[in-house]
Amino acid sequence: MATYKHTTGKRLHFIHIPRTGGRFIHENLLSNGFEREHNTAGTIEGSDIIHLHRELYEKHLDVEGITHIAVIRNPIDRFISASIFFKRMYGDDIQEAMEDPIMFGTMIQNFPLPDIYTTPSWLRPQSDFLTEDTHIWRFEDGFKEEFGDWMSEILGVPFTVSDVPYKKLTTDETNKLTRSAKLIDNIRQFWREDIEQFYPELATQFG
């Protein structure tokens, strides 16, 4: 999470939910005249500053009364994207284990700490990051002209989306788990709250 200030004085709180295009959006904020107001390196209360959830950013950042924006993502796609970290920790041969419901939960709950609600923040439900006043964009709607128009309207300043370079991870971002039916079902059950709230079209098979 970070607060930004535009050259016009307009302030913005960008709620960076992990694996939702945040690095790309950060660079576009900079290219549109916004500057980050504080250092995002390190952790606060066990959570990465760059990915603070609602309880912590309301407690530690100056966000009251300013515009909040966030990008949400289909929980299945979001987890598959994040699975690069599981393969890095547990090894490449974990597909079968992650397809087992018990093993799936166990591996998540022990990665990388017994308490999944500390680090990494991307294991939290996306709803934990948002307030009722947060302006929400869906990752699936892309980051082209429509996103720029949306940002411009919300912020009251011109916002143009550019294909800017952004910092890459040291982990191989192509080494992901395979989308099998069993794995997808485990993901859907584990992040059921997000699916029911934001992606109900994925909840048709819930009992």
Side-chain angles (χ1 to χ4, degrees):
M1 308 301 159
T3 59
Y4 294 79
K5 190 171 186 178
H6 192 256
T7 53
T8 62
K10 173 73 176 183
R11 296 183 68 232
L12 162 72
H13 179 214
F14 171 45
I15 303 171
H16 182 179
I17 301 173
R19 312 310 294 174
T20 61
R23 287 169 287 160
F24 176 80
I25 294 170
H26 166 70
E27 294 298 334
N28 268 278
L29 285 167
L30 297 183
S31 70
N32 279 275
F34 286 87
E35 290 291 338
R36 196 155 54 189
E37 293 186 310
H38 58 88
N39 186 5
T40 57
T43 62
I44 292 178
E45 297 189 30
S47 290
D48 296 332
I49 294 174
I50 196 68
H51 297 136
L52 294 179
H53 54 283
R54 180 180 62 252
E55 178 184 352
L56 293 186
Y57 68 66
E58 289 183 341
K59 179 179 179 181
H60 294 283
L61 299 184
D62 179 20
V63 299
E64 186 175 358
I66 67 174
T67 301
H68 291 49
I69 68 163
V71 176
I72 61 171
R73 188 175 185 180
N74 175 325
I76 296 170
D77 293 339
R78 182 173 174 244
F79 178 80
I80 295 297
S81 175
S83 68
I84 57 177
F85 299 108
F86 284 91
K87 298 192 81 171
R88 185 176 72 178
M89 177 174 176
Y90 293 115
D92 288 336
D93 192 21
I94 62 166
Q95 183 74 33
E96 185 175 351
M98 294 297 283
E99 291 176 351
D100 179 88
I102 296 176
M103 286 298 297
F104 180 85
T106 299
M107 293 170 79
I108 286 180
Q109 290 167 8
N110 288 283
F111 178 82
L113 299 170
D115 180 5
I116 66 170
Y117 293 106
T118 53
T119 303
S121 299
W122 49 260
L123 290 178
R124 277 187 167 273
Q126 294 177 81
S127 57
D128 283 358
F129 293 86
L130 310 173
T131 74
E132 61 181 13
D133 296 320
T134 303
H135 298 276
I136 299 173
W137 181 263
R138 288 169 57 122
F139 183 95
E140 295 75 26
D141 292 332
F143 300 102
K144 301 297 184 182
E145 183 177 347
E146 293 80 6
F147 178 71
D149 292 343
W150 181 78
M151 289 285 283
S152 299
E153 182 177 356
I154 290 171
L155 298 174
V157 296
F159 194 96
T160 302
V161 180
S162 304
D163 188 17
V164 292
Y166 57 90
K167 185 178 180 180
K168 303 296 184 180
L169 299 178
T170 56
T171 298
D172 180 3
E173 296 194 57
T174 66
N175 188 22
K176 306 172 186 177
L177 289 167
T178 301
R179 290 171 172 271
S180 68
K182 291 181 179 179
L183 177 60
I184 288 174
D185 189 56
N186 289 340
I187 298 167
R188 290 173 60 255
Q189 293 296 335
F190 198 88
W191 282 281
R192 182 170 181 164
E193 178 183 349
D194 276 351
I195 287 175
E196 290 180 333
Q197 183 171 351
F198 302 119
Y199 292 86
E201 65 274 18
L202 301 177
T204 55
Q205 297 179 26
F206 287 142

